[in-house]
Amino acid sequence: MIFLARSQFCSPVLKAARAQAGRLISYFILSLIVNASISAQVNNASPGGIDWTPVEARLSAAIRDGNIEQKRDALLEIRNFRSERASRLALPALRDSDPMVRATAAGSVVFAPKSEASSSLTPLLNDKQEFVRREAAYALGEVQDKAATTALVQLMQHDKILEVRTAAAISLGKIGDATAMQPLLAILKTRPKDDDEFLRRSAARSIGQIAQIIVTGNPSVVTPQNFLPEKFKDLGSSDATGPATQIFTAATDVLVAVLRNKNESDDTRREAAYALGALGDLKSVAVLQTYLSDPDPYLAEISKEALLKIERRNKVTTPTN
């Protein structure tokens, strides 16, 4: 009787324990299945079929499912990697419904392959939000794909927002496509106004930058290089690596007029002097020499550097004192 009573008492306890153990086993198996499914989804969604690292998976998930701030934080982190693989993670964010996310994404995709980044960014030049168009224009300058030149020229010519047009002008200089020279020169052929100073300054610099890229292959611009003696100046190679085109001659005439125009801002005239040096046309020597002792020390130094560049390009000696 005692044995039977104990058996009857323990039976429900044992049944409950067995049921609990069964539930734990089922939960464990289900967890394995879910984790395997998530891993498969991550691997299948990875760009180029490459398995993502945990960090990449986290960033991709944030861009896909996070709130606005989480998406932007992820995009900024992606940009800091400065790699093709990381930039590809940001490409979907260019189509995000939030304009702040789209604008942030523009700067995060610039390390993707040129054609891929350019084709993904170009549609944003037609975005309804002006700051998205502006950031997309700047990003295309970082990508430096000549395929974007036409779209940027159209943006520079027709956008209603001056800051957006200026961003396009700056990026055209970084890309270095000679076909952008005439549209940039057209800006400088108009009369200067108070509100377009930055646009005009950017156009002058971009003209010089395009010439510099064509001739020397060097896209970087620092004006002036420094205020040190000539031997400490980095003026680039003494031998041109590319041909000077006929368009340079037309550009020289426009830039000389800008340099001489007292109604232009100081910065615009400085950039015009830099551009004349990058063009390397001997026609600009005489006018540049007149600014070697200019009261504006920056203009004087830039004019000196421009003359040194022309001297190197043409294998001649020009007075720079």
Side-chain angles (χ1 to χ4, degrees):
M1 294 296 294
I2 294 174
F3 174 79
L4 180 60
R6 285 180 178 175
S7 178
Q8 290 174 340
F9 176 77
C10 292
S11 179
V13 174
L14 290 172
K15 287 181 181 178
R18 287 174 185 150
Q20 180 68 15
R23 285 194 294 270
L24 289 173
I25 292 170
S26 298
Y27 178 77
F28 178 71
I29 294 172
L30 181 61
S31 297
L32 291 177
I33 294 172
V34 170
N35 288 335
S37 176
I38 292 173
S39 177
Q41 291 175 8
V42 168
N43 288 335
N44 290 336
S46 62
I50 302 172
D51 291 347
W52 285 358
T53 66
V55 171
E56 290 169 334
R58 172 178 60 79
L59 293 171
S60 179
I63 291 172
R64 184 182 62 248
D65 302 321
N67 58 37
I68 293 174
E69 288 307 313
Q70 289 169 335
K71 290 179 180 180
R72 295 186 68 200
D73 287 346
L75 289 166
L76 293 174
E77 190 173 343
I78 285 171
R79 180 175 175 83
N80 288 337
F81 283 111
R82 303 178 68 85
S83 72
E84 175 182 312
R85 178 169 165 136
S87 282
R88 278 182 162 149
L89 295 175
L91 289 172
L94 295 174
R95 301 184 295 274
D96 196 89
S97 60
D98 186 84
M100 291 299 296
V101 174
R102 296 197 300 274
T104 306
S108 299
V109 303
V110 297
F111 301 105
K114 280 188 178 184
S115 59
E116 192 172 352
S118 179
S119 61
S120 299
L121 283 165
T122 300
L124 292 187
L125 299 181
N126 296 314
D127 198 278
K128 292 182 179 180
Q129 299 293 329
E130 64 184 70
F131 63 90
V132 177
R133 300 197 302 274
R134 182 192 66 211
E135 294 305 311
Y138 279 129
L140 284 167
E142 297 300 318
V143 174
Q144 298 179 349
D145 183 15
K146 289 186 177 181
T149 297
T150 299
L152 284 169
V153 167
Q154 292 176 348
L155 188 72
M156 181 183 69
Q157 292 174 328
H158 302 299
D159 200 276
K160 295 180 180 179
I161 306 301
L162 191 60
E163 288 185 0
V164 176
R165 295 176 61 205
T166 301
I170 291 171
S171 289
L172 287 169
K174 293 182 177 180
I175 291 173
D177 190 338
T179 61
M181 292 276 274
Q182 286 292 4
L184 289 164
L185 287 168
I187 292 173
L188 297 179
K189 289 179 182 179
T190 62
R191 296 178 61 182
K193 296 181 291 187
D194 291 339
D195 62 351
D196 67 354
E197 174 186 335
F198 191 33
L199 174 62
R200 297 179 69 82
R201 168 191 177 184
S202 301
R205 170 175 283 225
S206 288
I207 290 167
Q209 195 170 15
I210 291 170
Q212 179 176 292
I213 291 171
I214 292 172
V215 173
T216 70
N218 179 17
S220 63
V221 177
V222 179
T223 54
Q225 276 285 324
N226 52 56
F227 286 85
L228 299 174
E230 177 183 343
K231 65 180 180 179
F232 296 110
K233 292 182 180 293
D234 179 13
L235 301 174
S237 173
S238 59
D239 296 319
T241 60
T245 63
Q246 188 171 356
I247 196 173
F248 285 11
T249 300
T252 297
D253 295 336
V254 174
L255 291 165
V256 165
V258 170
L259 181 57
R260 286 174 166 165
N261 190 348
K262 299 296 185 181
N263 292 324
E264 295 280 5
S265 70
D266 291 342
D267 282 330
T268 303
R269 296 174 70 217
R270 293 167 185 165
E271 297 298 349
Y274 150 72
L276 288 170
L279 291 169
D281 194 333
L282 284 169
K283 290 197 309 179
S284 61
V285 168
V287 66
L288 285 167
Q289 287 174 337
T290 64
Y291 292 99
L292 291 175
S293 300
D294 195 86
D296 176 0
Y298 293 97
L299 178 57
E301 195 67 21
I302 293 169
S303 297
K304 177 181 178 180
E305 292 176 357
L307 288 167
L308 291 170
K309 291 177 183 178
I310 295 171
E311 176 182 317
R312 286 188 171 203
R313 179 85 54 81
N314 295 278
K315 306 297 189 296
V316 297
T317 300
T318 61
T320 55
N321 295 313

